[in-house]
Amino acid sequence: MAQTTSRTPPDTKVHFLWRFFSSVKLTIALLIILAITSIAGTLIPQQQEALKFARELSPWVFRLFAALDLFDMYHAFWFRIFLGALTVNLLVCSIDRFPTAWGRFRAQPSPEREQPFENLPEEQAFLVEGNPGDLPGRIEALLRSRYKRVHAAKDETRSSWHAEKGRYAHFGVYLVHLSVFLILVGGLIGSFLGFQGFVNIVEGETIDEIAVRNRMETMPLGFEVRCDRFVVEFYESGAPKEYRSDLTFLVDGEVAAERAIRVNHPTEFEGVTFYQSSYGSTPGRRVHLHLMRAGDPPATTPVDAEIQGPAVELPGKEGVFRVLDANPNMMGVMGPAVLIGVKPHDGDEMQFWVFQNVGAVQERFPGIFGHNPRLNPAAFEPYTFVLTQLESRYYTGLQVNRDPGVPLVWAGCFMMVAGFIVTFFMSHRHIWVRLDRIENGANRVRIAGRSSKNPVGLERELERLTGDLNRLLNDRND
């Protein structure tokens, strides 16, 4: 933050507000608050990831966190207020101190100033014998070859020059201020005008709306997205190695773009960014069953049925059955299962679940099939239903975001880098050179300088300039 003289309006109320928001202490306080809350936001799971964490909290702690929006603090009103206050603070600070920096930028020190030559080290002066002749011209030519701004003042016995470079170093801090301002404004625009959502698209299907996080509502996209293909590769351990979605974007039913996305390789369409987030499987439309009929001799009949499709007649003509529902992983641990509804010619419909991994389920839950008729595949005698295959299809889980503030944030990041370069690697240097006619027909050349920062760099520059002038004016080539 630039430490310069404050310029405040005269009106009392405006004066108070101006002085409040132009305070560097306020900047430090806001930065500390935002840093602490950001750390809290990193430690406390946010949005969807907060569900599991929230279930482990006591009721009163949960109510407190919910009241303070700690499960989505980056969109909380109080967090936005802090961001807005910091934005105003930076803007007011910059405006308040800019006139002083502008004055330093435009200031033109006199070439005849004496103060820079006070207590001048001996190595920054040397003598040139003989008539001055073209010495002033040679000195000025050398200075103009190295500095853009050179001013001279001459009389009969003295010639003085002032040269400078790096005047724009005064604006480095304002570049940093402006970059932070752009980043904050970009963040606020994204917070108010953007959205974060998600959608699952089954392979081969098309969607035109997404679920918006935190609003418990859906939002139309204005176009359609179709998942043409989903591919997942696995390591030998069974862990997913890579998964990819081939998407087609349609506008008014016409194909507008075809894109492939992978993890960390999102794609953007009409300002909306799609990230590969997750995947899963969902039952397909077909079920393959074996119907084992007890008797002498027993018989096994393979049957293909459609989920919620037409009824299928039992092999013995006792009635019909339908596949009412399917679950790719019952209760998360029991594997694929289908709900069968058997309607005999005489009697009421009977419903029961048929598992594909019967042995594994029985081993994990001993006696489960005998204790619960709805889990007994042999509930309708004399048949035993065996699920041999449940067709499944992959769905791709996409995170869908739109953040209109991103361009401003990127512009702010690049500007911040430029601001740091100007602030830390550039300095405003003033150089004074004086040529005096002294006694005994000799001429004395003195070189002085001043820098806004980096005194070591200034010292080296003065040493180099003194040496070059000495060699030039004394016609030495060493």
Side-chain angles (χ1 to χ4, degrees):
M1 193 71 62
Q3 298 290 338
T4 55
T5 305
S6 177
R7 298 164 63 92
T8 53
D11 181 79
T12 303
K13 294 181 180 178
V14 176
H15 175 84
F16 172 77
L17 290 175
W18 188 269
R19 189 173 57 182
F20 176 75
F21 280 108
S22 63
S23 169
V24 177
K25 294 180 181 177
L26 175 63
T27 308
I28 296 173
L30 290 171
L31 289 176
I32 292 175
I33 292 173
L34 289 172
I36 293 174
T37 53
S38 297
I39 293 173
T42 303
L43 298 177
I44 300 173
Q46 299 290 296
Q47 299 183 348
Q48 297 298 318
E49 297 177 356
L51 295 177
K52 181 179 178 182
F53 174 74
R55 284 196 291 267
E56 299 174 353
L57 299 176
S58 62
W60 73 270
V61 174
F62 174 78
R63 287 194 294 271
L64 176 63
F65 277 39
L68 295 176
D69 283 336
L70 295 183
F71 298 122
D72 188 19
M73 65 169 57
Y74 300 118
H75 293 88
F77 73 97
W78 54 265
F79 192 82
R80 291 169 172 170
I81 289 176
F82 285 131
L83 285 181
L86 182 60
T87 304
V88 175
N89 174 240
L90 283 175
L91 183 62
V92 174
C93 280
S94 299
I95 295 174
D96 189 67
R97 290 157 174 79
F98 185 79
T100 303
W102 181 252
R104 291 178 178 174
F105 173 77
R106 291 180 57 86
Q108 177 53 61
S110 170
E112 298 178 305
R113 287 189 62 183
E114 293 294 339
Q115 188 273 336
F117 295 98
E118 296 177 356
N119 302 318
L120 190 70
E122 294 181 357
E123 59 271 20
Q124 291 178 208
F126 60 91
L127 298 177
V128 181
E129 300 294 339
N131 193 292
D134 62 346
L135 293 182
R138 297 167 70 183
I139 293 174
E140 186 165 335
L142 178 64
L143 292 176
R144 291 193 182 279
S145 67
R146 297 187 180 184
Y147 305 95
K148 290 184 177 179
R149 288 167 56 90
V150 178
H151 295 86
K154 302 176 183 176
D155 57 29
E156 294 181 354
T157 59
R158 169 176 293 183
S159 297
S160 303
W161 294 269
H162 171 263
E164 62 180 326
K165 66 178 181 181
R167 289 196 306 156
Y168 293 95
H170 293 292
F171 301 125
V173 66
Y174 296 99
L175 276 178
V176 176
H177 284 197
L178 183 58
S179 67
V180 176
F181 178 77
L182 290 178
I183 291 173
L184 292 174
V185 171
L188 290 172
I189 290 176
S191 178
F192 283 104
L193 303 181
F195 63 79
Q196 293 182 349
F198 64 94
V199 65
N200 294 331
I201 310 178
V202 178
E203 196 174 20
E205 295 189 356
T206 302
I207 60 94
D208 60 0
E209 61 182 17
I210 63 170
V212 181
R213 297 186 190 277
N214 307 320
R215 298 183 193 172
M216 302 298 291
E217 62 183 19
T218 59
M219 184 184 74
L221 288 171
F223 54 86
E224 296 177 314
V225 185
R226 184 178 67 218
C227 178
D228 296 322
R229 189 175 66 145
F230 179 80
V231 179
V232 57
E233 298 178 4
F234 296 92
Y235 291 104
E236 293 182 358
S237 62
K241 179 180 180 182
E242 181 184 73
Y243 38 103
R244 179 182 114 171
S245 301
D246 293 337
L247 305 178
T248 296
F249 298 91
L250 304 102
V251 178
D252 297 330
E254 301 292 333
V255 175
E258 294 179 338
R259 310 270 176 80
I261 64 171
R262 293 174 294 166
V263 176
N264 297 327
H265 292 79
T267 189
E268 182 176 322
F269 182 76
E270 295 196 352
V272 181
T273 305
F274 293 81
Y275 299 86
Q276 182 69 68
S277 175
S278 61
Y279 73 95
S281 61
T282 186
R285 303 188 67 83
R286 306 294 301 179
V287 174
H288 304 285
L289 297 165
H290 281 176
L291 271 61
M292 301 174 63
R293 188 175 190 277
D296 187 17
T300 299
T301 304
V303 177
D304 289 344
E306 185 176 337
I307 299 173
Q308 296 182 349
V312 180
E313 189 171 37
L314 293 169
K317 312 297 183 184
E318 294 91 346
V320 297
F321 78 91
R322 297 176 63 218
V323 180
L324 303 176
D325 196 4
N327 191 315
N329 190 11
M330 194 77 169
M331 299 179 66
V333 294
M334 302 174 77
V338 293
L339 180 61
I340 300 295
V342 179
K343 178 68 174 65
H345 293 309
D346 297 322
D348 297 330
E349 182 181 76
M350 178 182 294
Q351 297 182 1
F352 51 89
W353 285 93
V354 177
F355 292 85
Q356 183 172 353
N357 305 323
V358 176
V361 175
Q362 198 160 19
E363 182 179 352
R364 187 181 181 95
F365 306 99
I368 188 173
F369 299 121
H371 297 154
N372 190 341
R374 281 183 61 82
L375 301 181
N376 185 1
F380 184 78
E381 297 179 349
Y383 292 94
T384 299
F385 286 73
V386 177
L387 175 61
T388 59
Q389 184 181 3
L390 172 61
E391 288 186 353
S392 63
R393 291 184 295 169
Y394 280 115
Y395 67 82
T396 178
L398 304 178
Q399 181 178 331
V400 187
N401 295 349
R402 186 174 69 180
D403 190 344
V406 167
L408 280 180
V409 173
W410 276 111
C413 291
F414 286 115
M415 189 172 293
M416 180 175 290
V417 173
F420 282 140
I421 292 175
V422 173
T423 300
F424 294 111
F425 296 100
M426 290 182 63
S427 59
H428 187 188
R429 292 180 181 175
H430 297 269
I431 304 294
W432 283 271
V433 178
R434 182 155 298 171
L435 174 65
D436 292 301
R437 183 70 175 172
I438 60 176
E439 298 178 355
N440 302 326
N443 303 281
R444 183 177 59 185
V445 179
R446 293 178 292 168
I447 300 95
R450 190 185 68 196
S451 177
S452 60
K453 62 174 75 75
N454 190 13
V456 175
L458 174 66
E459 184 177 343
R460 291 174 179 171
E461 183 170 349
L462 292 175
E463 180 181 356
R464 185 167 53 251
L465 180 61
T466 302
D468 292 342
L469 284 172
N470 196 354
R471 284 189 289 274
L472 174 68
L473 301 180
N474 287 305
D475 294 327
R476 286 166 27 196
N477 297 320
D478 54 335

